[in-house]
Amino acid sequence: MLIQSNGKAIHLPIDKLLYITTDKKVEHLLHFVTKDRTYPCYGSLKTYEKQTTHHLFRCHRSTLVNLKMIQEIDMKNKQIHFIDSEEKCCIYSRRKQKELLIQWRDSIY
């Protein structure tokens, strides 16, 4: 995946990406979150959702999650925890729970 962050074009391998989320304060600003770093980039979630339909899933109106990087889904707290990243997690919508579980299961096999 190619993104533009801080005036640089960056190749971000999909297997390094945990999730993409919108900024709550700045319109059209996205945050590409990896295990080690967060890359700010302007754009829309819809664009990235269409580009990588088999890897990214819209689990919340403000978040696209990489299905291949999910370690566990905490259904009680509505949180997604990621492989090799204990401190990073994101929330998901309860309405998306069933589809999230199906898509995650399908991405594993």
Side-chain angles (χ1 to χ4, degrees):
M1 173 181 303
L2 190 63
I3 63 170
Q4 291 185 357
S5 179
N6 295 325
K8 299 177 185 175
I10 299 169
H11 176 259
L12 184 60
I14 195 76
D15 62 336
K16 301 288 184 199
L17 180 68
L18 301 178
Y19 63 95
I20 306 170
T21 189
T22 58
D23 191 286
K24 293 176 182 24
K25 296 179 182 173
V26 180
E27 224 176 297
H28 304 293
L29 180 62
L30 303 175
H31 295 283
F32 289 74
V33 180
T34 66
K35 179 180 141 186
D36 305 320
R37 199 168 159 189
T38 299
Y39 298 91
C41 176
Y42 284 93
S44 71
L45 286 178
K46 188 180 281 190
T47 302
Y48 293 99
E49 186 177 21
K50 287 179 183 177
Q51 286 178 355
T52 56
T53 55
H54 57 282
H55 290 293
L56 298 179
F57 176 76
R58 175 129 10 180
C59 64
H60 189 273
R61 67 180 175 176
S62 64
T63 307
L64 286 174
V65 66
N66 185 349
L67 295 167
K68 298 280 187 187
M69 297 302 290
I70 296 174
Q71 174 72 41
E72 69 180 16
I73 297 173
D74 181 349
M75 292 186 279
K76 181 179 180 185
N77 296 314
K78 305 288 185 256
Q79 290 184 333
I80 299 171
H81 298 273
F82 299 97
I83 297 170
D84 298 331
S85 184
E86 295 159 14
E87 70 276 354
K88 299 214 176 166
C89 67
C90 68
I91 60 169
Y92 67 89
S93 168
R94 65 179 172 79
R95 292 183 178 144
K96 295 283 190 163
Q97 180 173 299
K98 184 177 179 181
E99 188 179 352
L100 173 62
L101 290 169
I102 291 168
Q103 294 290 329
W104 182 43
R105 182 197 67 212
D106 292 346
S107 74
I108 294 171
Y109 301 109

